[in-house]
Amino acid sequence: MAAKRPQKKSSTAKGDGTSGRSRGSGTKSGTRKGSKTPAATEKTLTRLVIVIMGVLCLVFTVMAGYWLWQGGADATRPVPPSKTERQKTPAATSPARPTPAQPSATAGKVQSGEASRTTGKGVHADAQSDASTPGGDADKAAPSVPRNATSDAVDGEGAVRAPVNAGALPYEESLDAPLEEGVKQVDYALVQTLVRLGIARERLRIASVETRNEQGESYHFQQMTLGVGDAPDRFIKAFVEALSVWAERAQMRKKADDLIEVYVGGVLTHEITLSLYESVEEPRPGTPVEGALLAIVIDDIGESMGAVRDLLKLDYPVTFAVWPRSSHAREAAEAAHRAGREVMIHQPMEPLKYPSVKPGPGAIYVRMGRDEIEATLRDNLARVPHAVGLNNHMGSRFTQDVRGVRAVCEALEGKGLFVLDSVTHSGSVFYREARRAGLPAGKRNVFLDVIHDKRNIMFQLDKAARVAHEQGVAVAIGHPLAETVAALKEWQRTRDKSVRIVTMRQLLDAETTARR
């Protein structure tokens, strides 16, 4: 019997690995063993994409970490003073410090005839121990440590550095005057240059201070003489470096070997004559005014009684402008009055940046009607005994509102109060409307402590005295900062004694008499 022929295995039998279809067909059964199917290829590509993304994430993480580390290092560098818009923020404790302004490309260079571009407030030392907050609403905030915790601006190797910016008081807005702020930054750069080079303050003399106007903003044009000895180039180089740190909008131009000019935003603000003699004669203005009077007003009184006590020890009078809703408003007013010092109401008014910037409790706003404004003022006046005048706290919006300002002036009529326009905005009509209403009125000439540094504040005091010499009267406004109190103490020994320090009422009475 013939053996059966073995049957031919089906082409689909297991383990064959081949297909009846031609090799290379796209079917799973038609692929050879070891070749990748489309699904496998897709998985491989997916894994590859994941790996690439992982690598990119790792690179990004490393770069971000390095960037943050660099940012943290920059944050430890102090910030150049700027403020003018001084802003008090509720519950300010230790805000992050911004990075400093970068020096310009031309820092350290001076070109003859060509401009080479360069360019809130703390509290008295014991404020943290004896001060609570004004008012009692959601606007409460505790005063913080002084903004400039250091008064020196030169390290051990003589390098320029900025002061520490550690905090701000509540309820303060910026000074809406960029040109004036720039002028004060140049002043500060000049003062720090003197410190860096060891030049005595007495070798810098302010020859004249002229109030000028540029596009509706008032600023001080200053002429000075500085005794630099035989090293004018050394001073110029250091001054340019200081400008690059402290006043980034400033430009310096060397007009002659002994004359330099400084511009802020293209506007001439300073002329400094360099004397080869170290001693400089006291300047004699062309038209000096006999009996020059200067009133010094200290705002924001009522949170630190320590500051009040120190200010009362000065051998010249300062006027105390008391926050009506501050923690120690009545106590501060009574202490000042007992010592024979003048007391004012420091009335909060609506700022331009409200509600992000709050004026604090007891404020008046442009939305208020006449009766509400009068009621608010009446309540605040009852909180500050012995007040003889009123000035605005903030108010960059309110003092531009004619209707609101007139309502304030009408509410003050018959109360024997004067008005001081703090001029927190160049468009303020407070002084004009107070005069129109027949109220005794004055306006601020110099802010002392836009930059919180004792030496710079003393320079601003000298400037205010020079304004008084040239205009007959001047009003300077400061705040109960540790730096301001220290400057006022030292200035009482070095100040120009030909300028008489008076109260605001005395100054306004003298102006009234002079007009007759």
Side-chain angles (χ1 to χ4, degrees):
M1 185 173 177
K4 291 185 179 178
R5 182 182 298 175
Q7 294 181 352
K8 188 177 180 180
K9 292 183 179 181
S10 168
S11 61
T12 59
K14 284 185 179 180
D16 189 300
T18 64
S19 172
R21 298 183 184 179
S22 62
R23 295 176 183 176
S25 70
T27 65
K28 181 177 179 180
S29 60
T31 59
R32 287 182 297 178
K33 187 175 181 179
S35 65
K36 294 184 178 180
T37 65
T41 301
E42 183 178 350
K43 290 180 180 179
T44 301
L45 289 175
T46 300
R47 292 191 188 100
L48 182 60
V49 170
I50 292 173
V51 170
I52 293 173
M53 290 179 66
V55 172
L56 290 175
C57 288
L58 178 62
V59 171
F60 175 78
T61 301
V62 171
M63 291 178 66
Y66 177 77
W67 178 78
L68 290 173
W69 176 78
Q70 285 288 89
D74 286 345
T76 62
R77 301 173 194 161
V79 61
S82 63
K83 239 191 116 185
T84 246
E85 199 166 11
R86 305 185 310 271
Q87 178 174 339
K88 296 178 184 174
T89 54
T93 52
S94 295
R97 299 169 189 159
T99 56
Q102 297 299 317
S104 65
T106 56
K109 299 180 181 179
V110 182
Q111 303 172 357
S112 179
E114 288 291 332
S116 58
R117 180 168 298 277
T118 61
T119 48
K121 199 182 326 182
V123 297
H124 188 266
D126 76 351
Q128 294 175 346
S129 62
D130 70 358
S132 56
T133 60
D137 305 314
D139 288 334
K140 282 187 177 181
S144 64
V145 297
R147 169 170 293 183
N148 293 334
T150 173
S151 60
D152 294 327
V154 183
D155 63 21
E157 299 179 354
V160 179
R161 61 181 174 80
V164 176
N165 194 356
L169 279 174
Y171 316 129
E172 188 64 25
E173 69 170 331
S174 61
L175 180 65
D176 188 16
L179 184 53
E180 182 178 350
E181 180 178 348
V183 169
K184 292 187 183 300
Q185 289 175 347
V186 174
D187 292 345
Y188 186 72
L190 176 60
V191 169
Q192 295 307 320
T193 302
L194 302 185
V195 174
R196 181 183 182 189
L197 300 181
I199 299 175
R201 171 173 165 264
E202 292 74 19
R203 287 160 62 180
L204 176 66
R205 297 294 186 184
I206 303 175
S208 69
V209 180
E210 178 185 342
T211 301
R212 295 184 175 181
N213 191 282
E214 178 69 22
Q215 296 182 350
E217 181 184 344
S218 295
Y219 69 97
H220 290 132
F221 167 69
Q222 302 168 73
Q223 293 178 312
M224 310 174 191
T225 301
L226 175 64
V228 294
D230 58 355
D233 291 339
R234 179 169 173 259
F235 166 77
I236 291 174
K237 179 180 179 181
F239 187 37
V240 171
E241 291 175 357
L243 288 174
S244 71
V245 174
W246 307 107
E248 61 184 9
R249 295 181 58 234
Q251 305 167 338
M252 196 182 84
R253 178 176 298 166
K254 185 176 179 182
K255 293 291 289 184
D257 290 341
D258 64 345
L259 179 64
I260 59 177
E261 295 177 337
V262 181
Y263 296 76
V264 175
V267 178
L268 177 63
T269 59
H270 297 72
E271 281 185 357
I272 305 175
T273 300
L274 304 179
S275 171
L276 298 181
Y277 299 97
E278 293 190 358
S279 62
V280 180
E281 291 185 3
E282 184 69 29
R284 291 177 172 78
T287 56
V289 177
E290 295 296 330
L293 305 179
L294 171 62
I296 300 175
V297 178
I298 303 300
D299 285 351
D300 300 351
I301 293 295
E303 287 304 319
S304 168
M305 287 304 297
V308 171
R309 290 187 288 269
D310 283 343
L311 291 168
L312 290 176
K313 294 176 184 177
L314 296 173
D315 63 8
Y316 52 83
V318 298
T319 294
F320 291 73
V322 180
W323 261 336
R325 304 295 181 94
S326 59
S327 307
H328 307 284
R330 183 172 295 276
E331 181 183 358
E334 293 286 4
H337 180 70
R338 283 195 304 270
R341 298 297 191 253
E342 187 175 61
V343 177
M344 296 172 54
I345 294 280
H346 191 42
Q347 173 60 47
M349 298 183 183
E350 182 178 353
L352 282 169
K353 294 184 178 180
Y354 178 81
S356 60
V357 175
K358 294 180 173 60
I364 52 179
Y365 300 87
V366 295
R367 59 176 167 74
M368 287 182 169
R370 187 182 307 274
D371 292 343
E372 190 175 2
I373 289 174
E374 183 177 358
T376 302
L377 291 175
R378 184 168 57 249
D379 180 67
N380 287 343
L381 284 167
R383 295 169 182 266
V384 182
H386 315 297
V388 296
L390 177 148
N391 76 330
N392 55 293
H393 172 69
M394 298 197 186
S396 54
R397 172 174 287 138
F398 189 90
T399 58
Q400 295 186 76
D401 183 68
V402 174
R403 183 196 63 82
V405 167
R406 286 181 177 174
V408 170
C409 294
E410 290 174 6
L412 297 180
E413 287 179 1
K415 292 183 170 58
L417 300 177
F418 62 78
V419 164
L420 171 61
D421 187 348
S422 300
V423 196
T424 55
H425 193 280
S426 58
S428 174
V429 297
F430 197 16
Y431 171 77
R432 185 193 74 194
E433 291 300 319
R435 291 287 307 278
R436 187 193 66 83
L439 298 174
K443 56 183 176 180
R444 185 265 310 166
N445 297 102
V446 176
F447 268 130
L448 297 175
D449 45 21
V450 171
I451 296 172
H452 306 169
D453 176 87
K454 186 185 78 171
R455 297 180 185 90
N456 189 71
I457 294 167
M458 292 179 69
F459 181 87
Q460 300 303 321
L461 285 163
D462 288 341
K463 183 193 295 187
R466 180 54 52 188
V467 172
H469 262 307
E470 297 187 357
Q471 299 182 6
V473 298
V475 179
I477 293 181
H479 302 85
L481 313 172
E483 296 89 347
T484 303
V485 172
L488 290 168
K489 287 180 180 178
E490 185 169 341
W491 193 68
Q492 69 185 353
R493 297 186 295 102
T494 63
R495 70 182 182 86
D496 180 358
K497 300 301 193 296
S498 65
V499 176
R500 190 156 65 101
I501 312 300
V502 297
T503 66
M504 272 302 305
R505 174 69 76 180
Q506 290 171 324
L507 183 144
L508 294 176
D509 288 346
E511 276 194 312
T512 301
T513 301
R515 292 193 194 103
R516 291 173 181 169

